[in-house]
Amino acid sequence: MSRHLINEHGLELKGEESSSGRQAQLHGYASDMPGAGMPFVYNRERMIIKFGKFVIADELPFSFGESPNFEYFDRVALQPQYRRVHRNTLKSHTQQAYYAYRGYIMKMFHTYHEYGLRKKVISLDTPIRWNSTYQLLHDAITYRDVFTDMYNESRIDGRFITNYHWSLAKIIHDILETFDNATHIFSCVYEANIHMVILECIKIICTIKQTSMANPDPSVKDLLDNMKVKWCAYFNELPPIYVIAAILDPSVKLQGLTNLLTFSNEQLGVNFDVPSYVNKYKLILERLCQDYGAMIQPQPVGFSTGTSRSRFIGPILKKRPHGSGPSLSSSSSSSLN
């Protein structure tokens, strides 16, 4: 064994393996792994802490350390001094390591002023509200230097956070920001917002399309492709209430809606008969105008100031298709065009 360790692995042994099963102290371990070249002395307490991290990282049960087969493998192949770890022992050591690391994290964030940042409670991701992911990324990017130093200082396996990881986080953050803005608009209860649904959907589609064209990274493209597939599944045909609300919006009307839906389908690569789709709702509104026109006297309608149009929406609404647009037969519905 000694000759093999010296000749094949470049190890220098201090003493020989004793008959009691105690492992010799190794020197000069030739490797790029952490701890290479340093003397190794087996310590059971340290082993239990590291073993607990391994169990948590691989989502193993605390009873894993009680396995007699694992004990046999470890004693024969790795460390003769190893003895099985009881589940309660592993659990208590893991809890101690957790509280110690939590204290370390809190201490790191107490030095936020060294990074020129103000004190902040970091948001946590939750499974019950999707846009918490956006807020989590927003806070993480703001405090990226703190997170990078904190994480990289604690790693011993060489897997560190780099600028590449933060660039991917920024891309995902910018995509989710469009969704988050739409969520806040739709959550408003004191102002009319249903007519803005289609407009916000166009912004989301444009963001996905432009991000896909600007980022050749395969992981980003896979993410955007999956988002596109799910988007088409949910919004292949918009609910009627949103379509009618958009037609009644003085800044959109029939022609603007036709342009918006045509542009949306072009960006998604979907074949859809937009004129027939819009004409169906035009006929519905014509019938409503005819039914209620005789009962309700027309009143002057004040035009709202509207909402600011992004750089995506303005040119689309102003665009006129080739040929004549859909005509309205009745004068009561001419204001919809």
Side-chain angles (χ1 to χ4, degrees), residues 46-243:
R46 182 181 60 187
M47 180 274 296
I48 294 176
I49 294 175
K50 300 295 184 182
F51 187 55
K53 292 182 178 180
F54 158 69
V55 168
I56 296 300
D58 280 14
E59 300 181 357
L60 299 173
F62 285 119
S63 60
F64 184 80
E66 298 178 343
S67 169
N69 295 325
F70 181 76
E71 181 186 25
Y72 175 79
F73 160 75
D74 213 331
R75 293 184 63 181
V76 172
L78 300 177
Q79 174 54 254
Q81 298 183 67
Y82 174 81
R83 297 295 182 272
R84 68 181 66 180
V85 182
H86 193 272
R87 68 184 71 186
N88 293 333
T89 302
L90 185 60
K91 182 178 179 180
S92 63
H93 280 69
T94 303
Q95 289 176 334
Q96 294 175 12
Y98 164 76
Y99 290 121
Y101 191 71
R102 187 178 70 170
Y104 166 75
I105 293 176
M106 295 175 64
K107 181 179 178 181
M108 283 292 298
F109 276 100
H110 287 164
T111 62
Y112 60 90
H113 58 275
E114 298 178 3
Y115 299 87
L117 301 170
R118 62 183 179 85
K119 187 175 181 180
K120 180 178 178 59
V121 178
I122 301 300
S123 301
L124 299 178
D125 193 18
T126 61
I128 58 175
R129 187 168 179 84
W130 71 265
N131 59 346
S132 62
T133 303
Y134 162 76
Q135 192 61 49
L136 180 146
L137 287 174
H138 183 77
D139 294 340
I141 292 173
T142 303
Y143 289 78
R144 57 177 294 177
D145 293 335
V146 179
F147 280 113
T148 301
D149 292 346
M150 178 184 67
Y151 182 85
N152 291 348
E153 185 178 335
S154 63
R155 301 305 297 179
I156 62 173
D157 54 7
R159 294 182 295 182
F160 302 122
I161 296 179
T162 64
N163 290 332
Y164 169 74
H165 299 115
W166 286 116
S167 65
L168 292 181
K170 185 64 169 62
I171 292 172
I172 299 174
H173 166 273
D174 293 344
I175 296 173
L176 294 180
E177 185 176 23
T178 310
F179 285 88
D180 186 71
N181 292 337
T183 300
H184 285 293
I185 292 175
F186 300 156
S187 299
C188 181
V189 296
Y190 297 105
E191 298 178 9
N193 53 20
I194 193 172
H195 63 288
M196 302 170 61
V197 171
I198 295 181
L199 300 179
E200 293 301 319
C201 288
I202 296 297
K203 295 179 184 179
I204 293 173
I205 294 171
C206 290
T207 300
I208 295 176
K209 180 70 173 182
Q210 292 188 357
T211 306
S212 178
M213 295 176 60
N215 294 276
D217 190 283
S219 58
V220 176
K221 284 191 171 295
D222 291 341
L223 170 68
L224 295 174
D225 289 341
N226 291 332
M227 293 179 67
K228 179 181 174 181
V229 171
K230 290 187 177 181
W231 182 270
C232 293
Y234 281 101
F235 292 94
N236 186 34
E237 184 170 342
L238 293 167
I241 188 65
Y242 299 146
V243 180

